[in-house]
Amino acid sequence: MELDERRISRVIIERFMEKLLDSVDLDVAIVGGGPAGLVAGRDLAMRGAKVAMFERKLSLGGGMWGGGMMFNEIVVQEEAKGILEEVGVRTVPQGDGYFSADSVEAVSTLISAATRAGLRVFNCVTAEDVVMREDRVIGLVITWTPVEMSGLHVDPLAIRSRFVIDATGHDINVVRVVERKVPGRLFTPTGVAEGEKSLWCHRAEQLTLENTREVFPGLYVAGMSANATFGGPRMGPIFGGMLLSGRKAASMIWEALGGR
Ligand code: 48F
């Protein structure tokens, strides 16, 4: 068989367009492909939700690749290790309820599990705004990250989604947009994002889970985003809270979708 460059291009273009066209109308749009977004995406896809993830970088995984200070090992606590193990990540007991995992194995396996469950992924795509109707988030405004980076004057595209998850980590990029556009209306005590507090590992892990919830009609926060929105502390390179938060966001949204 003689390879034909045109055929290769056609396959790529057609397959990508199919994916993109089928993602213009979603049950759930997840912004950010770190550990929280990946677990939420896998859980929702496993249940049968139509769910897509938009990640601004070329690779998914967010802050998990680098372990702690580029030592590529992560720590999880007893309650969360099951999430790693159920996708096939090997964990190593370290005594007293601490478990470690290789961060590269953890990220690559979570990505694989999420995509194989049916999560559609659009990498190199930045969510720059939300679509809003009568005070409810009903979708995302997306653009290619290189367009955003280069400052080209190109209009974005919009997609609809019944729910959006801000899993953008410390930056809470989606929450910040909503805060700017409808000031004082977030479901936080002050109506605005409280901002993340300095490191307190134990409290942060508890609060990440508690803070995983709807922050504006149609918009949920998961992972570090939850603490940055509701004023919880950061936790450093322990990742159990991220995994459990992604799972909680998926369960809440699945219920809000009617659990079908
Ligand atoms: O930061 P990130 O890994 O978020 P997470 O899932 O996990 C946090 C931990 O990694 C770590 C921690 C635990 O110890 O505190 O920081 O809560 O992943 C967030 C992802 O969102 C992407 C970003 O590139 C990263 O991969 N992202 C941020 N803003 C946008 C975005 C945006 N506007 N559009 C698309 N992706």
Side-chain angles (χ1 to χ4, degrees):
M1 173 182 96
E2 187 172 330
L3 292 172
D4 182 335
E5 300 80 4
R6 295 165 299 177
R7 182 76 190 276
I8 297 166
S9 300
R10 202 170 286 126
V11 168
I12 290 172
I13 294 165
E14 281 174 3
R15 293 290 295 140
F16 186 79
M17 285 309 159
E18 276 169 31
K19 255 192 311 200
L20 188 57
L21 277 173
D22 198 41
S23 301
V24 167
D25 219 336
L26 295 167
D27 290 326
V28 188
I30 300 174
V31 185
L38 284 169
V39 172
R42 173 175 182 263
D43 280 11
L44 283 160
M46 296 260 292
R47 285 167 153 147
K50 196 174 172 196
V51 52
M53 169 178 284
F54 301 90
E55 165 56 53
R56 72 158 28 135
K57 296 200 171 142
L58 182 57
S59 48
L60 309 181
M64 210 185 210
W65 293 107
M69 215 177 96
M70 295 201 292
F71 292 12
N72 61 3
E73 288 285 324
I74 56 165
V75 172
V76 293
Q77 52 279 62
E78 181 102 49
E79 311 83 272
K81 83 175 168 83
I83 298 181
L84 290 180
E85 287 174 352
E86 80 187 42
V87 296
V89 178
R90 292 165 301 171
T91 62
V92 185
Q94 300 294 339
D96 304 322
Y98 294 85
F99 293 81
S100 64
D102 179 288
S103 70
V104 175
E105 178 180 341
V107 180
S108 55
T109 309
L110 281 172
I111 295 170
S112 165
T115 50
R116 289 164 74 101
L119 174 71
R120 306 121 194 263
V121 172
F122 297 94
N123 54 340
C124 298
V125 173
T126 295
E128 59 157 63
D129 200 348
V130 296
V131 185
M132 185 88 86
R133 289 285 189 287
E134 284 113 29
D135 291 348
R136 184 179 176 86
V137 169
I138 61 154
L140 288 176
V141 177
I142 55 170
T143 192
W144 294 115
T145 304
V147 166
E148 195 206 31
M149 287 168 74
S150 57
L152 287 177
H153 191 168
V154 178
D155 262 319
L157 289 175
I159 57 111
R160 284 280 188 101
S161 184
R162 293 176 67 191
F163 293 96
V164 169
I165 303 178
D166 182 332
T168 67
H170 299 267
D171 296 340
I172 44 171
N173 284 324
V174 185
V175 169
R176 288 287 183 213
V177 164
V178 174
E179 183 184 49
R180 249 191 341 268
K181 307 258 164 131
V182 277
R185 302 278 302 283
L186 299 182
F187 302 157
T188 60
T190 54
V192 297
E194 308 283 325
E196 111 193 355
K197 304 292 183 290
S198 285
L199 198 139
W200 180 358
C201 182
H202 186 72
R203 187 88 186 108
E205 287 287 282
Q206 291 171 329
L207 283 175
T208 306
L209 212 51
E210 278 176 46
N211 291 332
T212 300
R213 51 192 147 115
E214 198 170 28
V215 63
F216 190 80
L219 176 63
Y220 282 70
V221 281
M224 197 55 221
S225 241
N227 274 1
T229 300
F230 287 98
R234 62 189 301 191
M235 70 291 293
I238 182 153
F239 284 81
M242 301 299 118
L243 306 173
L244 293 165
S245 168
R247 176 144 289 177
K248 181 180 172 190
S251 291
M252 292 175 88
I253 291 176
W254 183 244
E255 202 171 305
L257 282 167
R260 52 167 184 75

